[in-house]
Amino acid sequence: MKVLAFSKRNDLEVLRDPLNLIFGVGFPIVLLLLLTAIQRNIPVPMFAIDHLAPGIAVFGLSFMTLFSATLIAKDRGSAFLQRLYTTPLTAADFILGYLLPVLPIAVAQSAICCGAAVLLGLKVTVHLVSAVLFTIPTALLFVSLGLLCGSIFTDKQVGGICGALLTNLTAWLSGIWFDLGMVGGAFQKIANLLPFVHAVELERAVLRGDYAGVFPHIWWVTGYAAAVTAIAVFAFLRQMKRQ
Amino acid sequence: MDAIKTVDLTKKYKDLTAVDGLNLTVRQGELLSLLGVNGAGKTTTIKMLTGLTRPTSGDAFLNGKSILTDTAAVKAMIAVSPQETAVAPNLTVRENLELMAGVHGFQKPEARDKATDLTGRFGLGTVANKRAGKLSGGWQRRLSIAMALIGGPQILFLDEPTLGLDVLARSELWEMIRALRGSMTVILTTHYMEEAEALSGRVAIMRSGRLLTAGTPQEIKRQAGTDKFDEAFVRIVKEAAQ
């Protein structure tokens, strides 16, 4: 009950911020529309809707880090979190309360992205539902990154690090906009060592019904998600102790 | 039983001793003001009593429960209204109150009833559905205290509750704080001498982490040999500095 009350509050804080709705839902849909329009005039296989939609869904999830980190950093900066530290809420309540409410928002965002892609010509298949469900590990990765950044940085720093740096890293190193093989070399090697391209490839495989093709990408994503979650929990507990 | 009893309570930060062997007793139902200039150790004392900071040495007992070994029991009986406005800005006044009831373990219907009760008691009815972040400073302070009360605390800590408020808002809050006297133990920190004198049953004056004196406002004035409370405070603090 206690954790539910706290989760509900975090949910409302995220959903009632108009900037979150603009960036979380509006921006990915605008990108889909824009790139689909380009594709209609100058056909590029990269921007075919079944290839593009999974990438945009993953890119949209990177904003979850910004939402989650901003909420936590603002709470830390104000006396609100200190007030809550004097209540019977436990450390586990705080961590779950920050992680859990953003996950359904992330899944809903992916569903909206897939819905928009259907309107733009993506075939309706059962794999669409799977594609939305398979975003959960990626969503956990980005939400945990939010918990980590929110526990370390101030709300102003979070804006730059999660809003600019992370979204750019996700965009450039995920193979959404261009084939990483065209750049090759160290760039491709680095991209393959990071989880973003694997998250996109995982989604693409699920969407085309190639469930064998989710491997090894799902291991990369779940591995990163588990590691980042563990580090984020440690960072949050450390700042909690310091406060 | 005493509501609060500190035993040689000490907090050190590297070379700085923020609170130095504090021995203070507060009776149940008493409203005690903790006074002192900046850096006196008031906020650190409150942080230790509310479990936000662990003492370097010593202990404190809240209704007999140790802040070192019975943290959960202590947290269940206290509430804090911090110095800064501590409200969830995107939640309405009512939602803020229900949130605090929820984190204290009340089920939804009970949380709703408690929110309605406090909305009435604190005159928050007209702004109940407004977002807390849009309220003026005075309303936010009112809400902040109401949020502290929703869990039914036995001991309430009010850290500078009227800081930065205009005269009218301050006098309204004074009435609300006065109404709490006797029903729970209240520890109040303030820089306003007239506030301490008007509201407190007893006053404790701190300087450089040490307790200089504690007594009723009358006793403090008598001790300093003056009939003005602010003058008494200055004399006691200056005397200790020499």
Side-chain angles (χ1 to χ4, degrees):
Chain A
M1 182 60 205
K2 286 181 236 167
V3 70
L4 282 182
F6 183 53
S7 297
K8 187 186 166 193
R9 173 264 167 178
N10 295 334
D11 231 345
L12 290 174
E13 286 281 354
V14 171
L15 290 173
R16 284 183 181 168
D17 189 334
L19 277 178
N20 288 351
L21 291 179
I22 292 168
F23 279 100
V25 180
F27 191 50
I29 289 178
V30 167
L31 280 176
L32 259 183
L33 287 170
L34 204 68
L35 294 170
T36 308
I38 293 172
Q39 161 73 10
R40 274 184 193 145
N41 293 323
I42 316 157
V44 185
M46 199 77 196
F47 294 161
I49 194 71
D50 56 341
H51 203 71
L52 181 66
I56 298 288
V58 169
F59 178 65
L61 289 176
S62 68
F63 289 101
M64 295 301 136
T65 304
L66 177 65
F67 303 163
S68 172
T70 305
L71 176 68
I72 298 163
K74 273 189 180 169
D75 282 353
R76 277 178 50 231
S78 75
F80 185 71
L81 204 51
Q82 257 191 26
R83 151 173 257 155
L84 292 180
Y85 285 157
T86 64
T87 68
L89 282 175
T90 62
D93 291 332
F94 281 108
I95 290 162
L96 290 175
Y98 278 126
L99 286 181
L100 293 181
V102 193
L103 284 177
I105 298 175
V107 173
Q109 187 209 41
S110 300
I112 291 169
C113 190
C114 286
V118 166
L119 294 177
L120 293 168
L122 185 69
K123 260 193 208 161
V124 180
T125 65
V126 71
H127 306 310
L128 260 178
V129 179
S130 305
V132 171
L133 292 176
F134 270 84
T135 57
I136 292 173
T138 310
L140 178 64
L141 167 66
F142 282 116
V143 175
S144 294
L145 266 174
L147 179 65
L148 176 62
C149 294
S151 301
I152 298 172
F153 304 115
T154 65
D155 59 328
K156 280 181 186 163
Q157 291 169 327
V158 155
I161 290 163
C162 302
L165 187 65
L166 183 75
T167 48
N168 268 296
L169 275 178
T170 312
W172 290 99
L173 297 167
S174 59
I176 302 171
W177 322 111
F178 54 88
D179 187 347
L180 293 173
M182 283 164 58
V183 184
F187 185 85
Q188 190 179 14
K189 278 183 190 158
I190 292 169
N192 282 328
L193 288 173
L194 292 169
F196 313 117
V197 66
H198 298 289
V200 174
E201 289 304 327
L202 164 68
E203 281 298 295
R204 283 176 180 160
V206 172
L207 199 61
R208 61 177 181 265
D210 173 16
Y211 290 94
V214 302
F215 300 101
H217 308 298
I218 195 160
W219 300 129
W220 280 93
V221 177
T222 48
Y224 262 100
V228 171
T229 306
I231 297 167
V233 167
F234 173 75
F236 185 82
L237 292 177
R238 210 175 71 141
Q239 70 78 32
M240 194 176 173
K241 206 174 168 188
R242 276 186 182 170
Q243 287 231 347
Chain B
M1 191 196 300
D2 294 320
I4 299 173
K5 185 178 172 64
T6 70
V7 182
D8 295 328
L9 194 65
T10 302
K11 181 70 188 179
K12 288 181 181 172
Y13 296 101
K14 289 181 183 166
D15 296 336
L16 176 82
T17 303
V19 176
D20 192 2
L22 182 68
N23 288 295
L24 178 69
T25 303
V26 185
R27 291 183 290 271
Q28 281 184 347
E30 191 174 30
L31 195 157
L32 177 120
S33 284
L34 216 46
L35 296 185
V37 290
N38 289 337
K42 309 182 298 281
T43 301
T44 308
T45 301
I46 289 198
K47 279 188 170 177
M48 285 192 282
L49 293 177
T50 54
L52 285 172
T53 302
R54 207 174 163 79
T56 309
S57 63
D59 200 351
F61 300 89
L62 276 63
N63 287 333
K65 305 286 182 192
S66 161
I67 57 166
L68 296 177
T69 55
D70 290 318
T71 320
V74 167
K75 283 187 174 184
M77 71 170 81
I78 63 164
V80 184
S81 179
Q83 195 176 106
E84 295 164 57
T85 311
V87 297
N90 281 330
L91 263 59
T92 67
V93 166
R94 173 170 281 280
E95 286 167 345
N96 265 286
L97 290 168
E98 287 178 2
L99 161 71
M100 291 309 288
V103 300
H104 277 95
F106 293 105
Q107 297 295 319
K108 256 188 182 174
E110 212 177 347
R112 222 172 286 145
D113 291 346
K114 281 188 166 283
T116 305
D117 172 45
L118 278 160
T119 304
R121 272 168 62 193
F122 278 75
L124 291 162
T126 51
V127 293
N129 295 317
K130 275 196 179 170
R131 289 200 190 172
K134 305 274 180 205
L135 300 177
S136 68
W139 283 107
Q140 286 194 2
R141 289 296 166 99
R142 239 185 233 221
L143 171 61
S144 187
I145 296 175
M147 285 165 73
L149 290 175
I150 205 152
Q154 295 167 41
I155 302 171
L156 174 67
F157 294 89
L158 299 174
D159 198 3
E160 305 272 0
T162 63
L163 188 73
L165 296 187
D166 62 45
V167 180
L168 198 67
R170 184 178 299 168
S171 107
E172 284 171 356
L173 261 189
W174 280 15
E175 284 311 309
M176 287 164 196
I177 294 168
R178 262 197 204 107
L180 301 174
R181 280 199 300 211
S183 62
M184 65 187 69
T185 307
V186 181
I187 307 295
L188 176 122
T189 71
T190 181
H191 276 109
Y192 302 117
M193 296 300 130
E194 73 278 18
E195 186 165 289
E197 190 178 13
L199 298 175
S200 330
R202 273 197 321 144
V203 171
I205 299 176
M206 291 180 75
R207 186 185 172 278
S208 302
R210 287 173 170 267
L211 179 69
L212 299 181
T213 187
T216 64
Q218 286 302 329
E219 286 168 348
I220 302 269
K221 285 190 277 189
R222 211 176 303 134
Q223 182 188 338
T226 172
D227 57 355
K228 287 183 181 160
F229 187 70
D230 52 351
E231 215 173 283
F233 171 79
V234 171
R235 276 189 197 176
I236 289 169
V237 172
K238 275 191 173 171
E239 211 170 274
Q242 285 161 6

